[in-house]
Every structure is written in C-alpha cells, then in structure tokens.
Amino acid sequence: MSNSCLSLLQNKEANQLNSAFERYYNEAFADYFSRDPNKWPVFNEPGFAAIHNFRQQRLSPHERIAGYPNGEALHAQLVGDASLSQGRMRPSGQPDEMLAFAAALSKDWENPSSVENVVTMPADPAIYGSMMGAMANPNLAYSEYAGMADQLEKHVIRQIATHVGYDPEQSTGLFTQGGTFCNLYGYLLGLRKSLPTAIHHGMQSVPDYRIINSQGGHYSNMTNLSLLGVDIKEKTIRIKVTDSHDIDFDDLERQMRACFAVKCLIPTIMITMGTTDTFAVDKIKPVYDLRERLCEEYQVPVKPHLHVDAAVGWSMIFFLDYDFKRNPLAINEVTLAGIERTVARVRELKYADSFTVDFHKWGYVPYTSSLVMIKNKDDMKALENEPENFSYFEHDLQGQTHLQSTIECSRGAVGVFGAYAAMKYMGIEGYQIILAHCLQNANYFRSQLLELGNVKLMVPENQGPSVGFRLYNPEWVNDVNAEFANEQQCMSNEAYMAMLARNSKWHRQIFKQRGKVGLYTNWVEFISRSAYNPYGKYSYIPGEKAVFMNPATGRTQIDTFVSRLMG
Ligand SMILES: *Cc1c(COP(=O)(O)O)cnc(C)c1O
C-alpha cells in the first residue's frame, strides 16, 4: 500500500469535515434525498408519506414488524393463505394497507446504518422521473411503441457518451435489465464479432477461442458465460490480480500471447472499473494498447472486444472535470487525493469498446436502470438476427431501432426516465457532493479502524465506497500487518492456513455476536486473496465490509459502530 495514503488516513486534519463542504452536503441532501413534499409533490400522496414517516422512526430491522400499526396481523396475512379474491375492491382514495406495509417494511435503504452492499436509496428526482416513466409505460423495444421515450433514451446515451469522451454520433447504447445484462452484451458483442457463425450454429462449430476476464470480476461474468454456452472451465482464462486486486498486466500479456501464437481467437476481454467489494479500478489504456500491439504483431483480423464492467465505478465520471487544485467543494485532503487517483483511471474509459453503467447503484436511481454504452454503433450489426424473425414489426421501421440486435423484446423505460431526472436535477455538482460525502465517510471509517490497532484494512489505496477489513484477537496478534502477510502465504504453509482459519473464525464469531449496531456491515468470503502458489492457485480470504453509498450515513453511525468494536 502507498505510504502517502496511509499517513493521510492517520492525519486528523486531512480527514476533517470542512464546514463549507458540510453546507453543500446539507443542501444537496435536503434537495435530493429528504422526500420533502414541498420540493417533490409526489411525496404528498398519503401512502408515500406513510412509508417515509414509518422509516423516519429508524427502527432496527428486528423491531419493524411489531413497530408497524397492525404489523403482526398484516404479516400473518401476507405469509398466510394466498387465494385470489373473487370480488372487486372499489378504490377508497386511501392508501392500501398491504401495499404500504410491504413497501414500508422492504429493506430500509434510507436508514443511515444501511451500508451492506452496493445498494442505495434512490434520489427524490429519480423517483419522480421513474414514476413518470411508469405511468407513460413506453416500450423501448421498438420506436413506434416508445414514442418520445425513444428520444429520451438516446438523449441520456449522448449525455454519457459526450461526458466520457465517446463520439456522440458514432456511439450508441441501450438501457437493459441490470448490470449483468450489460456485461452479457459485452461478451456477446465480442462473440458475434469474432465468431460470426455462432449466431446460427451455436458454439460447437466455431474456431478455437478463449474469453478473457479477471479473477477480480463480478460473479455475473461466469453466469453470463455459462449462459452463452461458453465452456467456463476450458475456454475462459481468468487473469491474475495484483495485491490491489486490479488486473495483472504481465499475466494478461502472457495469456494473450499464448492464445495468439496458436491462432486462438480472443472474442472479449472483460475488465472492471470498481470491483464490488474492493473497488479495484483496472487501468484501461494499457489493456487497449496491449491489444493494439499484439493484434498488429500476430496479424489478428478481428480485435478482441474490450468491455469495461463499470457497474459500480462509473459514477466517478462526475469528477472528470473537477478542479482538483482549487477544490471548490472543499473536499477533505485524504478524499480529494483518493478521488484524483481514481479519476486518472476513469479518464481512460473512452478506450473501452463498451461499458456497463448501473444507475441503480451509485447513481441513486430506482431499479432497474442499467445502461450498456457502445463506442461504435456498427458493432450492433454483428448482433443482428435475421429480419424475417421479426414479422411482428413493420419492415421499414425495424432498421431505425436496435430491435434486431437486442437480447430482450420488451424493454421498460422507467430507468431512462429516472436516470434523466437524477442527472438533470443533481447535475454534475450534486453528484460530486453526494459521492464525496460517501467517500469522506469511507475514509473516516478507515481512519477510525486504523486507530483500533487490531484491524487490517483491505486495499485502502483503492479509494472507493467499500471498506473491507479483518479484525484480530488482540490476545493472539499484536502486529496485524505481519499476521496478514503470513496468512497470505497460506497456500504454501499449512500452519499459516490453520492460522488464517482460526483468525477468520474468531472474527466471524465477533461479527455474529456483535449484532447490527451503528453500521449494518456484512460478511464476505472473498475480501482478499492469498498469495499465488507456484501453480497460480490461491485461496479466498474472508472478512467484513461496509459500503458507503448511503447519503444519509454520517460520522455518528461510524462512531457508534467503532466504539462497539472496542467494547
Ligand atoms: C452489481 C455488479 C454487477 C451486476 O449488476 P446487476 O445490476 O446487479 O445485475 C456487475 N458487475 C459489478 C462490478 C457489480 O458490482
């Protein structure tokens, strides 16, 4: 880990809350996350207001059913008999009891302690926009069924394209069902371009190929490949990751050369901008340059499609034009340095052939609102199915949409409306304020954990919203760095493997006993990895994590959690 990052984390002044920043934050929170009916009249609706009021009580998860009016009875009804009612129910103009109950008692992402994963409460404007989209109900499958929503989708795509440095005329994109589907498109684009016969004949008859992704990638990588009929054991190469969990360029080059030397095709290279648990941001330009260089050297006719899974990390594009010298938002020093480090990599997004954007994660838009961005719209041609399959639709209009190239038929537009509204109202600056607030929380949490002494922070140099850590029994361990370094050698030392198991078990027990206090942290089996053994094998290292994407979380919750760790 870089020493400058560590020393900044331990420096109180670098971690302080600047009063100017706090003013911006309070204003942004009041405008975009407070469910204020004066600002957003949709929250005047009695059912919506009731949901919000219940949640404002901030009950802990186990108190919620009993704390809800008539909660036990409603719960019993919900889990009980489920026959359809024969009779009609006339609208009374009053909120529906069961709908309000189920909504209010859905997982409360507005609770300031909710930091379990990359999930958030949506922003007020995004809820407003999504509701408009739900009411209009356009279908993006086909322009005639979408009407003006088709233009709204294209508008949002051009906004993102322009902002990241894609040519807005040459690029395209589409809203689809989750980040998993965006990555599915990434893989499919590569397969269709490199192995064009597969569209009709499947994967049996194609020339030899390997898909390349990273060991740090999201699990959807593997579910997608399996779905596509790719042999994930024999035809997929998972590249090693560095100690910071980003892709290992030496291993990547070695593997690509091994493929190209024997004329084995590489349809897709999938890398990650912000891994889910450790926020590793792969550098994109070096992968792009390597691809260009090797394709030239080996005379590869169809270049591997380079897809960047930016499901979590894309939000950092809002800092691309931030003035880091002047720091107009008064972001604290440690966080400013962290953002600057990340943004240097995010700037390379324009080298990706396509990338995944999850508005429903760090973009504060309701589910599901995922966008796959595609640099070269001609790539969509490779996905086109036979026009005669589309006999439902008028021939002349088909070419104007992605109809023949999409995996889905019906595509909802709720995500488009939500994303447009969130970006319109929050603007680049609103996002900067909220994201910086989250990242300042993450760094404050890191700094407080470091002070405890019996905590090993996972990759604090990855300056994202996720904070992973391992807690050690102070009676057994006095130097957590040395202990962790030994644990990392577990693949070549049985005693260290036993030590890793014992420490993990202890931490897990403490985690279970503690209950959820202050921050609702989570346990993950793969917060880090061991060193590789000589055969490239490694072991998962488990740990605890908190993900600071919640705009409502503040230092109060962090302090409560940390003092509980001490007691
Ligand atoms: C969440 C996530 C995905 C999957 O996205 P969904 O929207 O949940 O389908 C893919 N990659 C990364 C890095 C993610 O964090």
Side-chain angles (χ1 to χ4, degrees):
M1 167 176 40
S2 86
N3 283 329
S4 67
C5 167
L6 250 193
S7 63
L8 272 180
L9 278 172
Q10 287 166 317
N11 173 341
K12 286 229 159 32
E13 213 166 296
N15 253 295
Q16 75 191 354
L17 283 179
N18 296 319
S19 56
F21 181 85
E22 283 305 276
R23 270 199 311 280
Y24 291 122
Y25 162 73
N26 288 328
E27 196 173 285
F29 191 87
D31 283 349
Y32 309 125
F33 291 95
S34 64
R35 316 295 188 232
D36 180 350
N38 295 318
K39 291 174 174 162
W40 305 99
V42 291
F43 299 116
N44 261 324
E45 195 279 325
F48 292 1
I51 296 165
H52 181 60
N53 291 339
F54 177 73
R55 290 183 159 195
Q56 284 299 102
Q57 295 177 46
R58 308 255 183 268
L59 301 179
S60 68
H62 64 275
E63 303 166 330
R64 300 178 77 215
I65 295 181
Y68 193 87
N70 204 19
E72 303 284 4
L74 286 163
H75 182 242
Q77 209 180 319
L78 199 55
V79 299
D81 176 47
S83 52
L84 281 171
S85 63
Q86 172 63 38
R88 294 180 291 147
M89 179 168 157
R90 309 289 308 275
S92 66
Q94 294 305 309
D96 181 76
E97 211 184 14
M98 187 59 85
L99 288 175
F101 169 72
L105 272 80
S106 292
K107 166 68 191 177
D108 182 5
W109 293 106
E110 293 172 31
N111 188 315
S113 296
S114 293
V115 292
E116 286 93 334
N117 209 336
V118 288
V119 184
T120 64
M121 66 160 125
D124 301 333
I127 296 172
Y128 171 62
S130 298
M131 284 170 32
M132 283 238 182
M135 184 170 162
N137 204 32
N139 188 335
L140 296 171
Y142 182 50
S143 55
E144 197 181 342
Y145 306 165
M148 203 52 78
D150 184 43
Q151 291 304 328
L152 192 69
E153 183 186 38
K154 292 189 166 87
H155 185 93
V156 172
I157 290 164
R158 286 201 307 279
Q159 286 179 312
I160 298 291
T162 309
H163 194 70
V164 302
Y166 271 11
D167 175 350
E169 297 306 315
Q170 193 49 38
S171 57
T172 185
L174 59 116
F175 274 78
T176 185
Q177 185 57 47
T180 299
F181 261 55
C182 296
N183 291 346
L184 182 64
Y185 275 105
Y187 281 124
L188 192 64
L189 283 160
L191 289 173
R192 292 290 182 259
K193 287 196 288 180
S194 281
L195 310 171
T197 59
I199 196 166
H200 290 123
H201 300 289
M203 299 297 284
Q204 279 76 35
S205 57
V206 297
D208 198 18
Y209 73 92
R210 294 294 182 277
I211 297 284
I212 290 187
N213 62 30
S214 143
Q215 288 172 357
H218 186 262
Y219 75 83
S220 62
N221 279 296
M222 303 322 266
T223 50
N224 277 332
L225 289 174
S226 171
L227 177 71
L228 289 165
V230 169
D231 182 333
I232 56 179
K233 292 271 183 282
E234 308 290 336
K235 301 272 189 193
T236 303
I237 301 175
R238 306 203 75 190
I239 305 296
K240 288 181 180 173
V241 292
T242 67
D243 287 342
S244 300
H245 289 223
D246 45 32
I247 197 163
D248 179 330
F249 294 119
D250 293 338
D251 192 35
L252 178 64
E253 175 160 358
R254 205 163 35 240
Q255 301 288 2
M256 286 178 71
R257 284 187 181 280
C259 290
F260 288 156
V262 294
K263 300 258 179 268
C264 172
L265 301 173
I266 302 174
T268 301
I269 302 171
M270 172 88 60
I271 59 177
T272 314
M273 205 172 92
T275 55
T276 316
D277 290 336
T278 51
F279 206 72
V281 178
D282 292 331
K283 289 183 179 169
I284 302 165
K285 177 86 173 7
V287 180
Y288 172 89
D289 288 340
L290 178 66
R291 177 191 71 176
E292 298 299 299
R293 187 155 51 81
L294 296 187
C295 285
E296 164 95 38
E297 186 179 328
Y298 291 92
Q299 300 281 294
V300 178
V302 182
K303 291 175 186 171
H305 183 88
L306 175 57
H307 183 90
V308 174
D309 178 359
V312 180
W314 75 274
S315 307
M316 296 301 286
I317 67 171
F318 293 115
F319 286 102
L320 282 172
D321 299 322
Y322 191 70
D323 184 343
F324 287 95
K325 282 225 164 53
R326 228 168 41 81
N327 188 20
L329 295 176
I331 298 167
N332 70 25
E333 193 185 342
V334 61
T335 304
L336 190 70
I339 295 171
E340 198 167 9
R341 175 192 190 269
T342 305
V343 165
R345 297 184 180 197
V346 172
R347 194 155 280 133
E348 298 177 349
L349 198 49
K350 59 173 181 270
Y351 291 100
D353 293 317
S354 55
F355 61 91
T356 297
V357 171
D358 266 1
F359 282 100
H360 57 242
K361 285 182 176 160
W362 217 9
Y364 303 107
V365 177
Y367 290 110
T368 50
S369 43
S370 298
L371 166 65
V372 54
M373 290 291 301
I374 297 159
K375 185 184 201 162
N376 183 355
K377 63 183 174 202
D378 296 336
D379 279 0
M380 291 305 276
K381 290 205 171 66
L383 303 189
E384 278 180 12
N385 291 285
E386 299 281 349
E388 50 266 36
N389 294 340
F390 297 87
S391 54
Y392 282 179
F393 304 95
E394 199 171 329
H395 218 274
D396 292 350
L397 285 175
Q398 286 185 29
Q400 296 172 18
T401 64
H402 294 314
L403 176 70
Q404 295 166 15
S405 306
T406 54
I407 301 169
E408 316 93 314
C409 176
S410 292
R411 277 194 302 124
V414 163
V416 177
F417 280 79
Y420 174 82
M423 292 196 293
K424 174 166 192 166
Y425 281 90
M426 288 173 59
I428 292 173
E429 188 181 274
Y431 272 106
Q432 287 171 346
I433 294 166
I434 296 298
L435 301 179
H437 171 76
C438 297
L439 293 169
Q440 288 191 164
N441 277 339
N443 278 324
Y444 177 68
F445 186 53
R446 290 185 185 105
S447 74
Q448 298 306 99
L449 289 178
L450 274 177
E451 274 191 15
L452 292 178
N454 65 327
V455 175
K456 172 69 185 171
L457 284 180
M458 298 301 135
V459 285
E461 68 273 25
N462 292 353
Q463 284 276 300
S466 347
V467 180
F469 61 97
R470 279 170 65 76
L471 205 57
Y472 293 88
N473 184 341
E475 287 168 18
W476 302 342
V477 180
N478 50 38
D479 181 345
V480 293
N481 291 317
E483 187 83 354
F484 184 70
N486 288 339
E487 287 175 331
Q488 284 188 302
Q489 298 309 314
C490 62
M491 289 300 284
S492 44
N493 182 318
E494 276 182 29
Y496 290 156
M497 186 62 100
M499 191 172 90
L500 170 66
R502 185 172 83 140
N503 286 334
S504 302
K505 191 170 164 212
W506 183 84
H507 181 182
R508 169 113 178 121
Q509 228 157 24
I510 295 286
F511 167 79
K512 295 286 263 188
Q513 279 164 10
R514 186 195 317 137
K516 306 239 171 187
V517 184
L519 297 172
Y520 305 155
T521 56
N522 229 332
W523 186 260
V524 276
E525 287 305 324
F526 183 26
I527 201 72
S528 188
R529 61 154 180 81
S530 72
Y532 295 103
N533 76 6
Y535 314 111
K537 297 273 186 290
Y538 65 103
S539 171
Y540 285 0
I541 297 182
E544 192 171 343
K545 77 162 178 184
V547 184
F548 292 92
M549 286 188 174
N550 186 342
T553 308
R555 296 194 169 194
T556 318
Q557 288 76 32
I558 297 172
D559 290 338
T560 306
F561 178 84
V562 171
S563 57
R564 177 67 183 238
L565 282 188
M566 292 192 301

